[in-house]
Amino acid sequence: MNTVVTNMKRMLDRLIGERHEITTDLADDLKSLIADPGHLEQVVVNLVVNARDAMPEGGTIRLRTENLSISREAAAAHPDARPGDFVCLSISDQGTGIDANVIDRIFEPFFSTKKMDQGTGLGLAVAYGITEQHGGWIDVESEEGKGSTFKICLPVVPAEPERVEEEQVAVGELRGGGERILVVEDEEGVRSLVDKMLTRSGYEVLSAADAREAFAIFEQQEEPVDLLFSDVVLPGENGVLLAERLLAARPGLPVLLASGYHEDEYRREIDEQGYRFLQKPYSLPELMQAIRELLDHE
């Protein structure tokens, strides 16, 4: 977990802007865990952006790692916890805090206390889903006017694991050759993370927060866009309708859609149109393979 935080620090600093600061307090003796680094990055980005938005006037976001041993008695007092040894990452802010009446709902898909144009409310749901898939949970402590702390707890492995390099090799074989990808994602943290991953992998990235912005960017390009990668659920026009508009302007445009909501009402239409689909959270190799296959087929 320390490696994930350290590798992300520069990107997170750019993401939160000049009015905010990130400090880290990383345990020297932190135990190891088995996890997908790309998935953990998505969790961290979503929670850091959430912390930033809770402090519109600026402030400090603190990232802290620690080892935690939970007894049977302690686990019984928490509905999601279980006994054992865990690695924990806490992300704390000094912001507005969370109303006690809604704190139990913050991980529900599409639930959000933000304005309609500030996201669809899937960021925290995706973060919790990833944490659950890794055998962990997220604790939340908050008080209105005094800030919030989100603590991610993940199970440790009994011995130091060997680092897996196969994924890096696979991703290397799927690198781009300067193809231009239009990325449409309303969650700012996820959008920045995808932008970073694809740029680092040899693609030219054009990014937008909603369909209106995406269509404007598409129309302004002198060189053609080679692929559309869009979230399905967006503020205003959804990703399926955006794909139809872009295909009308450029027939044959490869389309890749993604969603973090399992019972997505658009899935039948996506299947009927033959669009490639990724379920969030997706790993970097999954994203790269889908893009490469679409571009190579084209």
Side-chain angles (χ1 to χ4, degrees), residues 2-264:
N2 283 351
T3 303
V4 170
V5 173
T6 301
N7 290 345
M8 295 183 69
K9 180 66 166 54
R10 183 178 297 177
M11 187 269 284
L12 292 173
D13 285 335
R14 291 197 304 268
L15 181 63
I16 64 173
E18 295 180 355
R19 289 187 297 178
H20 298 79
E21 177 188 14
I22 290 179
T23 65
T24 58
D25 179 12
L26 308 180
D28 293 332
D29 60 343
L30 197 68
K31 296 179 180 178
S32 297
L33 52 88
I34 296 177
D36 182 309
H39 284 180
L40 293 187
E41 288 180 350
Q42 291 181 52
V43 174
V44 175
V45 163
N46 279 324
L47 295 180
V48 166
V49 168
N50 194 68
R52 181 204 63 186
D53 292 346
M55 301 184 291
E57 302 302 318
T60 300
I61 302 169
R62 184 185 183 207
L63 276 62
R64 179 174 182 266
T65 59
E66 62 181 322
N67 296 311
L68 181 66
S69 293
I70 299 180
S71 65
R72 291 186 179 277
E73 293 76 14
H78 191 291
D80 295 322
R82 66 179 188 275
D85 293 325
F86 299 86
V87 167
C88 296
L89 169 65
S90 299
I91 299 176
S92 304
D93 64 68
Q94 304 158 318
T96 54
I98 304 170
D99 187 332
N101 294 320
V102 302
I103 196 167
D104 291 336
R105 299 187 59 200
I106 60 173
F107 294 115
E108 294 179 9
F110 302 113
F111 179 80
S112 178
T113 58
K114 300 178 184 178
K115 296 178 182 178
M116 288 294 292
D117 61 350
Q118 293 182 333
T120 53
L122 278 173
L124 291 181
V126 168
Y128 199 90
I130 292 172
T131 306
E132 274 195 322
Q133 287 177 10
H134 285 78
W137 69 92
I138 302 178
D139 260 340
V140 185
E141 294 181 4
S142 184
E143 186 175 346
E144 282 194 90
K146 296 186 177 180
S148 305
T149 296
F150 286 74
K151 180 183 284 189
I152 308 154
C153 298
L154 297 169
V156 306
V157 291
E160 183 73 20
E162 293 183 7
R163 296 190 181 277
V164 179
E165 303 295 339
E166 286 85 349
E167 180 177 297
Q168 295 181 11
V169 175
V171 171
E173 295 172 351
L174 299 170
R175 286 184 59 82
E179 294 94 338
R180 310 177 84 231
I181 299 179
L182 177 56
V183 174
V184 191
E185 168 62 60
D186 62 299
E187 298 290 345
E188 182 183 3
V190 177
R191 187 170 67 251
S192 296
L193 192 59
V194 171
D195 189 325
K196 183 191 78 168
M197 291 192 300
L198 293 181
T199 300
R200 199 167 55 188
S201 299
Y203 294 99
E204 182 180 344
V205 179
L206 309 165
S207 58
D210 56 37
R212 179 183 297 179
E213 182 183 4
F215 194 77
I217 291 172
F218 183 85
E219 286 190 315
Q220 292 166 4
Q221 301 307 305
E222 295 182 2
E223 296 293 326
V225 170
D226 295 305
L227 182 141
L228 169 67
F229 175 40
S230 177
D231 196 7
V232 173
V233 182
L234 298 167
E237 186 176 80
N238 64 65
V240 178
L241 291 176
L242 172 63
E244 291 177 4
R245 292 178 66 195
L246 297 190
L247 280 165
R250 198 214 135 175
L253 175 71
V255 173
L256 175 60
L257 299 176
S259 177
Y261 196 46
H262 288 276
E263 298 177 1
D264 201 297

